[in-house]
Amino acid sequence: MASRSFLFIYVLVMFSLAGMAFSDLSDDFYHHICPKALPTIKRVVEDAVRKERRMGASLLRLHFHDCFVNGCDASILLDQTSTINSEKTSRANNNSARGFEVIDKIKSEVDKVCGRQVVSCADILAVAARDSVVALHGPSWKVKLGRRDSTTASRTAANDNIPTPFMDLPALIKNFKKQGLDEEDLVALSGSHTLGFAQCFTFRNRIYNETNIDPTFRRQRQANCPRSGGDSNLAPLDPTPALFDSKYFSDLRSKKGLLHSDQALFSGGKTDDLVEKYSKNLGMFSKDFAESMIKMGDIKPLTGKRGQIRVNCRKMISTMIFVPKLCQPSDGLLRMQSGKRGEWGCDASILLDQTATIDRFEVIDRIKSEVDKVCGRPVVSCRTSWLLQLVTLHGPTWEVELGRRDSTTASRTTANNDIPTPLMDLPALIDNFKKQGLDEEDLVALSGGHTLGFAQCSTFRNRIYNEINNIDSTFASQRQANCPRSGGDSNLASLDPTSALFDSKYFSNLVSKRGLLHSDQALFSGGETDELVKTYSTNLGTFSKDFAKSMIKMGNIKLLTGNQGQIRVDCRKVN
């Protein structure tokens, strides 16, 4: 019969393989995961814009330049490394893209209020762009959310795809069309130049060599942008660079567009009429701008199991975060996920095969193989290799003490005796956890691991057919539909309604008498753990914090260190 701990590990492995169940963007993506996320982004953006009005344009530009490369995936934020060809040094961004420190602050503040790394850097860019426009008296719109972050960047793609200030109208139309954007999007999004400034080198040729330019405007700009030198001197893109209005379009009609690519929108071509309309109708421009921003935000987002949620917006999380450090002698604390527990302690004994009978550890095998490859030798124990991240399922992260060694034996008898079963009542669970040095708070917090994954029919059949006094009748009927009184033992049911998302609905279910396993519902059945279940059901931050703390505590049960045990070459076999 499946045990609680085995189900927990099975869930982690299965979803590490399958990835998350999300595939579409939605404007309410964080409503339940972290309702404070968007207000926090707004607060930090407003504070940044209050301190420097120009920052609003900078944050808007970051989102624009991110989406035009390989989709809205936060690739623009990645710093240069030996494996990352940063977009920050591309022609369009080098010495001009700014606002990175504001994004860093947003990420830090959001992670703090959410209690974990749950909001992607790509979503932060999209929301910060919207909030910047609003802070400068522009329109608002619902930002679709649920993006994940890229694991790479491309300076070449940035050079090829971000429109330049030297493009004429046909080139601009072609450039936007490659991104799935039409001529109306081109004009509306170019209207973002109602905000901010440009550097002298981007408009020098226009003010000295072009004829379709107002003479007075030309002389004004030449005063601060000489024929040579002063490349970084700034000029406003419209007369009110800290206010979202329609003067940018009025300037185009008067031949006062600062950039060649600006004036190209009103130069006898097919976009002239739209420029004229926007110059006279701020409401129309605002409406179309918002619609085009939503459309641009949909350019090739990474969702589901693609990409990652970065812990740091400027750095890519490697396949195993600890790999680069662990190959060095002075390794310390690193953020990874803990796993197996039992009488024999955290020693990877569960990975040892009888005769290849355990078949769900391919992920561990692959991790071990990759780690040994980058370290150049078997230096990381299987127990360490088993520290899986919950971040990909929007769960918390924590620092794990490393240096465990692997057991040279395993015991089915001890596993049968010590791993808690799904049939245990509360006193038995408390006693079982107490034998491992874990208290009632650890019991409830770690049981919350059932916010993820599924259980087999054989583990909950008795509950849905015989425990009529402590189960919601509708819930029982729903589960009976896929778990008959006999047969179908391996049929699966989710342990909570959002089985691919780390949240607090597992505890809400217990309060509603919808715990799937007997040992789940035992946590909320009139006993001493009821109050903690209630607390977790309404406070995801408290649950996440306590879960992480209990995982650290569980990960330290009877470790093998020093000369004890071994470092297995093959996690399934003793050396």
Side-chain angles (χ1 to χ4, degrees):
M1 186 169 292
S3 70
R4 292 173 67 89
S5 286
F6 180 78
L7 280 170
F8 178 60
I9 298 304
Y10 168 81
V11 165
L12 288 176
V13 173
M14 183 171 73
F15 280 101
S16 292
L17 280 168
M20 292 185 64
F22 306 108
S23 58
D24 298 319
L25 300 180
S26 130
D27 58 29
D28 63 353
F29 188 83
Y30 296 109
H31 282 193
H32 298 293
I33 301 171
C34 183
K36 294 182 179 179
L38 268 60
T40 300
I41 296 174
K42 185 172 188 262
R43 173 176 57 78
V44 177
V45 168
E46 288 177 344
D47 184 58
V49 172
R50 194 179 302 114
K51 291 176 180 176
E52 183 194 357
R53 304 287 282 178
R54 182 185 167 205
M55 186 55 68
S58 298
L59 294 174
L60 176 59
R61 187 169 182 257
L62 277 181
H63 180 47
F64 188 104
H65 284 205
D66 179 49
C67 292
F68 262 65
V69 179
N70 283 311
C72 306
D73 59 5
S75 60
I76 192 173
L77 301 178
L78 288 171
D79 287 337
Q80 182 75 23
T81 69
S82 59
T83 58
I84 297 294
N85 201 10
S86 178
E87 294 164 21
K88 294 179 181 180
T89 53
S90 66
R91 285 190 296 269
N93 297 322
N94 195 31
N95 296 319
S96 65
R98 57 196 299 273
F100 299 110
E101 68 286 346
V102 177
I103 299 301
D104 290 343
K105 184 173 182 181
I106 292 171
K107 176 66 171 168
S108 174
E109 292 291 315
V110 167
D111 287 350
K112 189 183 301 179
V113 299
C114 294
R116 63 214 189 280
Q117 288 83 22
V118 66
V119 181
S120 69
C121 302
D123 278 346
I124 287 174
L125 282 176
V127 177
R130 188 269 312 274
D131 291 346
S132 293
V133 170
V134 173
L136 296 173
H137 302 283
S140 184
W141 59 91
K142 289 186 175 180
V143 178
K144 293 181 181 179
L145 301 168
R147 298 168 186 82
R148 288 167 65 82
D149 301 322
S150 69
T151 57
T152 187
S154 173
R155 185 185 303 139
T156 301
N159 285 333
D160 290 344
N161 295 330
I162 298 175
T164 76
F166 312 109
M167 284 182 169
D168 58 17
L169 185 59
L172 287 167
I173 291 172
K174 182 179 178 181
N175 179 280
F176 273 63
K177 187 176 181 181
K178 277 170 50 180
Q179 306 296 343
L181 302 172
D182 58 25
E183 292 162 18
E184 184 177 289
D185 298 315
L186 163 62
V187 180
L189 291 173
S190 295
S192 63
H193 284 182
T194 180
L195 303 174
F197 297 78
Q199 295 186 55
C200 170
F201 79 91
T202 64
F203 59 85
R204 177 180 283 118
N205 184 69
R206 171 154 169 74
I207 63 174
Y208 284 101
N209 299 322
E210 294 185 11
T211 57
N212 64 334
I213 186 171
D214 177 83
T216 303
F217 177 76
R218 180 205 302 273
R219 287 193 297 273
Q220 290 171 342
R221 293 297 165 263
Q222 288 176 350
N224 195 43
C225 182
R227 285 187 180 273
S228 63
D231 283 3
S232 61
N233 293 356
L234 296 174
L237 285 158
D238 95 340
T240 53
L243 179 65
F244 191 99
D245 58 20
S246 59
K247 290 185 180 178
Y248 165 79
F249 295 105
S250 302
D251 268 10
L252 299 189
R253 293 181 62 212
S254 302
K255 297 185 179 181
K256 294 181 180 181
L258 183 62
L259 306 179
H260 177 86
S261 55
D262 288 330
Q263 196 59 56
L265 302 178
F266 193 83
S267 55
K270 56 178 81 175
T271 57
D272 281 17
D273 286 345
L274 196 53
V275 169
E276 193 148 353
K277 287 177 183 176
Y278 287 163
S279 71
K280 300 173 182 176
N281 193 326
L282 176 58
M284 178 187 291
F285 164 47
S286 296
K287 174 178 172 292
D288 289 354
F289 179 81
E291 290 176 357
S292 292
M293 285 297 292
I294 294 171
K295 191 173 177 181
M296 185 182 75
D298 277 342
I299 297 175
K300 295 184 275 188
L302 299 176
T303 59
K305 63 183 179 180
R306 299 180 298 159
Q308 60 183 212
I309 305 293
R310 290 190 211 135
V311 175
N312 182 323
C313 285
R314 301 202 195 195
K315 297 177 182 178
M316 184 189 76
I317 305 172
S318 59
T319 304
M320 294 290 289
I321 292 178
F322 64 87
V323 167
K325 287 188 175 182
L326 198 56
C327 299
Q328 304 168 15
S330 57
D331 184 60
L333 299 178
L334 301 154
R335 293 174 176 169
M336 304 304 290
Q337 166 68 0
S338 188
K340 174 258 182 187
R341 66 180 179 82
E343 177 62 29
W344 285 80
C346 299
D347 58 8
S349 59
I350 193 173
L351 299 178
L352 290 171
D353 284 342
Q354 173 72 21
T355 50
T357 55
I358 299 175
D359 61 357
R360 293 200 178 269
F361 301 105
E362 295 86 357
V363 173
I364 306 303
D365 293 340
R366 182 175 177 186
I367 291 172
K368 174 67 171 169
S369 173
E370 291 295 317
V371 171
D372 288 349
K373 188 184 301 179
V374 298
C375 290
R377 63 197 190 284
V379 66
V380 181
S381 69
C382 298
R383 180 64 200 100
T384 302
S385 298
W386 198 0
L387 303 175
L388 301 174
Q389 273 273 30
L390 276 182
V391 172
T392 55
L393 299 179
H394 288 194
T397 187
W398 57 91
E399 290 185 336
V400 180
E401 293 178 326
L402 301 176
R404 298 165 179 79
R405 289 171 64 85
D406 302 321
S407 69
T408 56
T409 186
S411 172
R412 183 184 302 136
T413 301
T414 304
N416 286 335
N417 291 337
D418 292 340
I419 297 176
T421 77
L423 307 178
M424 283 183 172
D425 57 18
L426 185 59
L429 288 167
I430 292 174
D431 182 63
N432 180 280
F433 273 62
K434 187 177 180 180
K435 286 200 307 183
Q436 307 298 340
L438 303 171
D439 58 25
E440 292 164 18
E441 183 179 289
D442 298 316
L443 163 62
V444 180
L446 292 172
S447 295
H450 284 183
T451 180
L452 303 172
F454 299 82
Q456 296 185 19
C457 170
S458 61
T459 65
F460 60 84
R461 177 181 284 116
N462 183 70
R463 170 154 169 73
I464 63 175
Y465 284 102
N466 300 324
E467 298 182 15
I468 58 175
N469 295 324
N470 196 29
I471 189 169
D472 177 82
S473 57
T474 302
F475 177 75
S477 299
Q478 290 169 342
R479 294 297 167 263
Q480 289 170 2
N482 195 44
C483 182
R485 286 188 180 273
S486 61
D489 283 3
S490 62
N491 291 357
L492 296 175
S494 58
L495 284 157
D496 96 341
T498 52
S499 53
L501 178 66
F502 191 98
D503 58 20
S504 60
K505 290 186 179 178
Y506 165 79
F507 296 106
S508 303
N509 263 15
L510 301 187
V511 174
S512 303
K513 296 185 177 181
R514 293 189 168 206
L516 184 63
L517 306 179
H518 176 85
S519 54
D520 288 331
Q521 195 60 55
L523 302 178
F524 192 84
S525 55
E528 52 204 284
T529 56
D530 280 17
E531 287 305 314
L532 193 53
V533 169
K534 279 185 184 177
T535 298
Y536 289 163
S537 72
T538 58
N539 194 323
L540 178 57
T542 299
F543 165 47
S544 297
K545 174 176 169 289
D546 288 354
F547 179 83
K549 186 171 63 175
S550 292
M551 286 297 292
I552 293 171
K553 192 172 175 180
M554 184 182 72
N556 287 328
I557 295 175
K558 298 181 184 175
L559 305 179
L560 298 178
T561 59
N563 293 323
Q564 300 170 306
Q566 62 183 213
I567 302 225
R568 292 187 212 137
V569 176
D570 182 336
C571 285
R572 303 200 192 194
K573 299 175 183 178
V574 175
N575 294 345

